[in-house]
Amino acid sequence: FFLMIRRPPRSTPLYSSAASDVYKRQNIYLQKTQTPSIYQEFQSEKYIFSLHVQKIDSMIMQCALGTIEKISIKRKAQDVMLKQSIIVWILAVLKNAAEINETTMEYTTALLMNLSLRTEGKRKCCELKSDILKVLKLFILTDNQQIQTHVNGTLYSLFLCPAIQK
């Protein structure tokens, strides 16, 4: 793989641009026959580990979160994330909304939405239904359209779960 850094637009934070560039250029999850799955799993676990050990809203944590959110649309990455119980971490971060900036909230809610669209992710969210609904309720009336979209997408997915419908 190779890394090509481009100058980000003025409105884009540098770490988000770097995460996008790395994701587009590496193609870790697209090369099924060329890249061993152990390497793929290691890459995802490495980013997830950095989320757990970094202080909330540190630059390293935001870079790792941005990268994880961007690869969270891939099935293999989602499997690793769900196995590592990242939904519990997401809830812990979102419960501390006063301590995190808006970019972190956007990436975190987008990651939760991406994971809740999978059957396994929906099942894990249903297990934590009271906490998930309390946290999402905090963000449903936010002024940020991105966060509202992510929260609405997550709720739409979770309302298909019989345990949450009750």
Side-chain angles (χ1 to χ4, degrees), residues 17-70:
S17 178
S20 295
D21 279 344
V22 169
Y23 169 63
K24 291 175 191 169
R25 304 295 188 258
Q26 280 186 339
N27 270 343
I28 290 174
Y29 294 98
L30 296 178
Q31 301 172 356
K32 293 179 182 171
T33 58
Q34 297 174 359
T35 308
S37 63
I38 293 172
Y39 177 72
Q40 294 172 358
E41 206 166 306
F42 173 72
Q43 288 295 334
S44 296
E45 287 178 1
K46 184 170 63 172
Y47 288 120
I48 293 168
F49 176 75
S50 65
L51 288 178
H52 290 291
V53 298
Q54 293 298 318
K55 190 178 93 168
I56 291 180
D57 270 351
S58 71
M59 186 62 76
I60 294 172
M61 196 278 289
Q62 288 182 355
C63 288
L65 180 58
T67 304
I68 285 174
E69 188 275 323
K70 285 174 181 19

Side-chain angles (χ1 to χ4, degrees), residues 90-91 94-95 108-110 112-113 116 125 128-142 147-159 164:
I90 290 170
L91 284 175
L94 292 177
K95 282 179 183 177
T108 308
T109 54
L112 180 61
M113 181 184 71
S116 72
C125 287
L128 304 165
K129 66 182 176 186
S130 61
D131 290 335
I132 292 261
L133 293 175
K134 284 178 191 173
V135 167
L136 293 177
K137 186 178 173 183
L138 297 173
F139 293 103
I140 198 131
L141 297 176
T142 185
I147 294 172
Q148 276 186 349
T149 301
H150 300 147
V151 169
N152 288 334
T154 304
L155 287 171
Y156 181 79
S157 176
L158 294 180
F159 284 150
I164 291 182

